[in-house]
Structure formats: structure tokens, C-alpha cells
Amino acid sequence: MFSSALSLTARFAACLTAVTLMATSALAAPAPATAGQELVIEDNDFLGPGGSDQLSAIPLLFNPHVRVLGFTVVSGDGWENAESAHLRRLLEIVGRTDVPVADGAVYPLVNTRAEMKLHEQQYGIIPWKGAWGGAGSIDSATDTQPAIPAMKEGAPHLSPVAQSAAQFLIEQVHAHPHEVTIVAAGPLTNLALAIRQDPTFAETAKQLVFMGGLLDTSMMSITGNADFASDFNMIFDPEAAHITLTAPWKKVTVVGSVSNDLMLSKQYLARLTAKKTPLTDYIGRYYDPLPMWDEMTTAIAADPTLVTSAVDARMDIDTSHGPHYGHVFVVPDSLAPHDSPMRTVHIVRSIDADRFRDIFAQQAQTDLPGREH
């Protein structure tokens, strides 16, 4: 056990060393603050083309009250290099090449494909494995990030910034202290690296809004779609989730189980694509009938008044290597252990779904000038 722990420590130290080395590269100039706008960075595993990951950019890019300081990319639903390329191509399609993209963590801090395979053998199938096999077999995946396959929507010309995602996050938060909302809709590896590299990072941000922390999903996996009941963002990198959730954020909003309640249905797709723009053409061409997990998360970050009910509780992630590895747990404040690192989070339980759909449709149909096709 001692040698295993030593190995994990060495691997985590290697992650931090890599981030520190990348941080010495040329840094992007901090974007100036704009009065009256919410400053946001979205960190996500932008699987593409289309899908909830990519479409999560819409409530941020097309809201006049939001300034997107940048996007940071992390492996999760897919491999980081392909996710970044799909995101940068989308930014070209919608004419927002002014928004920087910072490439981030390729691998979880501790978890590996081999360890996930062993977990499946011991405790049962994990329905969605992302970069390590998707909805199929984990044996079909590779241990290392492969080359980017041919892209249906065409390869991007836009390049990522020279900084790592963690360094970009740190720099932007310190450039705008207590003003930047971090929206995380993928595994939390980049945020954990930023927190470990700069212990003041979380407390210097305005808040964290993240998609994950699914609760009460056991019955959903039986009566509904098991893929939708899998808290993949937590399962892929449990240690990063624990580091992030126990950091000293001023506020944490959790958009978990509620996000399963609203689908991008064919009926709603028809509404979105009724007006033809480069973006609605993109949405229609690469349509995937999934819950609007990440779109709801970014929409709530941009407009918290969408939330109609929520509850506060202490939250953390199970990092013990047992059947609940990577699963979230919550307790009321009165039952939390003394001196516990568990922090209070704001768990969204319902939103104004009709208003969300109306706003999202309006944003998706916005046709800005100067687009690159």
C-alpha cells in the first residue's frame, strides 16, 4: 500500500510540474473588464461536433450581459486535443474567434483506463466511459491520447493560446479578482490543478457553477437511461472533484440531477432550426438527442433567476476505491463531521424550463455579422 501511495503522489507531482513548465510559455494578455457584464470562463470536455458540450457555449457567447474571458478544455467525454479542435471550429462558425481557448489536462490526476476497467470488473459496468470507450467497451479505448481524427465540420484555423488551462484560469481570476464565474461542465481536473498550483485561486474567483453531483439516480438507471444516471464528470476524475469541492470558493452552485429533466427533443430542434443561421445549421446537422445538461449549467451561470428552487447542503466525493468511487454524497450542515473540509453548496432542484427554452432559442437564432463560414 505504501508503494502504491508513493506512486500516486509521484504522478500527481508530475501533473503539477507539467503545469508549472507550461506556465513559463508566453501568456495571453488579460481581457479588460467591461462594466455591467458578468465575466465567465467555461471549463468543459467539449465533445463534438454538436451535443450538449459544444452547445453549452451558446448561453454565454450570445448573452449581451456576459463577457466570455475564454474557454478551457479537459479530457472527459472525449480526448482533449479533439475537443479543443471541435470547439475552435465552432468559434469560427459563429464568428467568435476573439475568444481564447486554452488546452488543459489530457489525463485525470490519479484515475486511469486500467483502474476503471478493474472497477467495472469488481463492481459492474460504468455506462458512459467517455474517452475510455464511450458507451461501448473500455477495451476499445487507448491509454494515451490519439491523433485527432478527420473532423466532419472541417479542421479549425484558430489555434489555442500558449498557456495551459490551469495557468489561464489563474491569470484571469487574478486579473479580475472576485469577478470571474467559473463554469465547469466536464471533469474538474483543470480546476484541481489550478487550485494546487495557486491555493488562492478559488477564493479569488467570484463563484463556481458546475454540472455534476447527480443525486438519487439509482432508480433512474433502472427505469430510464442508465447513461443519463451516470455522474461521469465526477467518476472520470474523483480526486480532482474532491480537491475542487473542498476549495474555499465563495459560492458553489450545483446543476446536477435537474439537468436530466430537459431534453433537446426533435420538436425543440425544429423550433431552433426554423430560422436558418450558421449556428442553427450546425445544431441541426450534428443533432444529438440528449438532455441539455451543459446548456442548462451555462444558462444558470449567465442568469441565476432561471432557478426556481434550490437547497443548500454539504457535498463531497467518495475517493475510496470501492463500489462508490467517484460518487457524490451530501449531508445537512447539522450532520457534517466537525472540522470537515466539506463545504456548503447550492443544489439546483428546478428551473423555469419554458423561459430557458425561449432564451436559448433566441440566442441560437442570433445571426451576428462577420462570421467565418
Side-chain angles (χ1 to χ4, degrees):
M1 179 175 289
F2 177 76
S3 61
S4 174
L6 197 61
S7 173
L8 296 182
T9 301
R11 285 161 58 189
F12 185 59
C15 289
L16 294 179
T17 301
V19 170
T20 303
L21 290 174
M22 287 188 286
T24 62
S25 62
L27 301 181
T34 303
Q37 287 186 312
E38 185 77 21
L39 303 184
V40 175
I41 299 172
E42 183 185 356
D43 183 82
N44 205 344
D45 49 348
F46 291 94
L47 183 67
S52 183
D53 297 317
Q54 295 286 338
L55 301 188
S56 67
I58 293 173
L60 302 178
L61 291 174
F62 294 92
N63 186 326
H65 304 294
V66 171
R67 176 171 188 149
V68 183
L69 297 177
F71 294 102
T72 53
V73 187
V74 62
S75 285
D77 284 335
W79 288 104
E80 184 276 336
N81 57 350
E83 294 169 346
S84 174
H86 287 298
L87 171 62
R88 285 180 278 121
R89 180 59 189 138
L90 174 61
L91 292 176
E92 291 176 346
I93 290 170
V94 301
R96 290 304 309 271
T97 56
D98 59 304
V99 181
V101 175
D103 290 351
V106 176
Y107 306 104
L109 299 181
V110 175
N111 201 15
T112 64
R113 185 183 73 89
E115 288 171 358
M116 183 176 278
K117 180 177 179 178
L118 178 61
H119 188 280
E120 284 196 319
Q121 293 170 345
Q122 292 176 322
Y123 304 113
I125 297 298
I126 296 172
W128 174 255
K129 289 170 278 288
W132 291 333
S137 169
I138 200 168
D139 293 323
S140 65
T142 61
D143 291 305
T144 57
Q145 178 167 266
I148 301 173
M151 296 173 56
K152 299 176 183 178
E153 72 275 38
H157 300 288
L158 179 66
S159 297
V161 298
Q163 293 165 284
S164 70
Q167 188 61 27
F168 180 85
L169 287 160
I170 291 168
E171 181 189 84
Q172 293 296 330
V173 162
H174 283 285
H176 311 287
H178 314 300
E179 295 184 61
V180 181
T181 294
I182 307 297
V183 185
L188 300 174
T189 318
N190 288 336
L191 301 191
L193 289 171
I195 290 163
R196 282 293 188 255
Q197 186 178 343
D198 175 12
T200 70
F201 166 72
E203 66 189 43
T204 308
K206 179 179 179 179
Q207 63 177 330
L208 169 66
V209 180
F210 82 93
M211 207 304 290
L214 273 65
L215 301 166
D216 305 323
T217 54
S218 296
M219 186 58 69
M220 185 191 302
S221 68
I222 297 170
T223 61
N225 188 323
D227 290 352
F228 299 167
S230 176
D231 202 356
F232 176 75
N233 289 344
M234 308 294 100
I235 292 169
F236 191 73
D237 195 342
E239 288 74 20
H242 168 70
I243 289 169
T244 301
L245 286 179
T246 55
W249 304 94
K250 289 182 171 58
K251 181 180 180 181
V252 177
T253 299
V254 181
V255 186
S257 303
V258 65
S259 59
N260 274 313
D261 297 339
L262 200 152
M263 291 284 295
L264 181 54
S265 64
K266 288 187 176 181
Q267 180 181 9
Y268 186 57
L269 175 69
R271 177 181 173 185
L272 294 178
T273 56
K275 179 180 178 181
K276 298 300 180 184
T277 71
L279 179 54
T280 60
D281 179 66
Y282 175 92
I283 294 171
R285 183 172 300 180
Y286 304 114
Y287 167 66
D288 201 354
L290 295 171
M292 300 180 75
W293 296 299
D294 297 359
E295 299 97 320
M296 184 184 294
T297 304
T298 55
I300 289 171
D303 182 5
T305 66
L306 285 169
V307 177
T308 55
S309 70
V311 63
D312 291 342
R314 300 277 197 101
M315 175 178 282
D316 202 353
I317 302 295
D318 189 342
T319 56
S320 62
H321 287 267
H324 302 297
Y325 179 55
H327 290 205
V328 69
F329 61 94
V330 292
V331 296
D333 186 69
S334 60
L335 299 183
H338 293 298
D339 301 321
S340 170
M342 297 174 67
R343 295 187 177 273
T344 299
V345 300
H346 195 60
I347 303 170
V348 177
R349 302 195 67 187
S350 64
I351 70 162
D352 186 336
D354 289 338
R355 188 158 70 89
F356 167 79
R357 292 189 187 94
D358 291 344
I359 294 171
F360 188 86
Q362 181 182 23
Q363 292 169 337
Q365 293 173 348
T366 300
D367 192 13
L368 298 178
R371 298 181 183 277
E372 298 180 24
H373 302 297

